[in-house]
Amino acid sequence: MSNTDTNTLEILKELIGEVSNDPVNQIGLDTSFTDDLHLDSLAIVSLLVLIERTFDVRIPDNLSSQLSTVGHVVVYLEQAEKVV
């Protein structure tokens, strides 16, 4: 994992901590938002909004359902263009 990926993961952990009751130190790239963190749809939408605001990106609605793990989000964020 690159240094950028590590920084992105750490920021994501902080954001997940804002919407989840689970300890963030156990979160890894393969952590599932629904299966592992037990986030419901409202919590996932809240998390995606936090991600968009924090990373200054836009996550299209049709893509949000495909971002099911922390690793999927990290990859998306590393490839996404900043919102202008």
Side-chain angles (χ1 to χ4, degrees):
M1 183 179 334
S2 73
N3 199 23
T4 303
D5 290 346
T6 303
N7 292 338
T8 301
L9 178 59
E10 291 306 312
I11 294 168
L12 275 175
K13 285 181 177 183
E14 291 177 25
L15 298 177
I16 292 167
E18 292 183 32
V19 298
S20 172
N21 294 326
D22 291 318
V24 296
N25 60 344
Q26 300 297 323
I27 294 173
L29 293 175
D30 59 346
T31 301
S32 167
F33 296 118
T34 55
D35 296 336
D36 299 320
L37 298 174
H38 310 290
L39 298 181
D40 62 18
S41 58
L42 182 59
I44 291 172
V45 169
S46 296
L47 176 60
L48 292 176
V49 169
L50 284 171
I51 291 169
E52 287 181 330
R53 290 180 180 166
T54 302
F55 290 94
D56 196 27
V57 297
R58 173 81 174 100
I59 300 172
D61 292 336
N62 63 338
L63 183 63
S64 62
S65 63
Q66 297 173 18
L67 302 175
S68 60
T69 68
V70 173
H72 293 152
V73 174
V74 169
V75 169
Y76 178 79
L77 291 171
E78 295 303 321
Q79 297 174 353
E81 294 184 25
K82 299 288 184 192
V83 174
V84 180

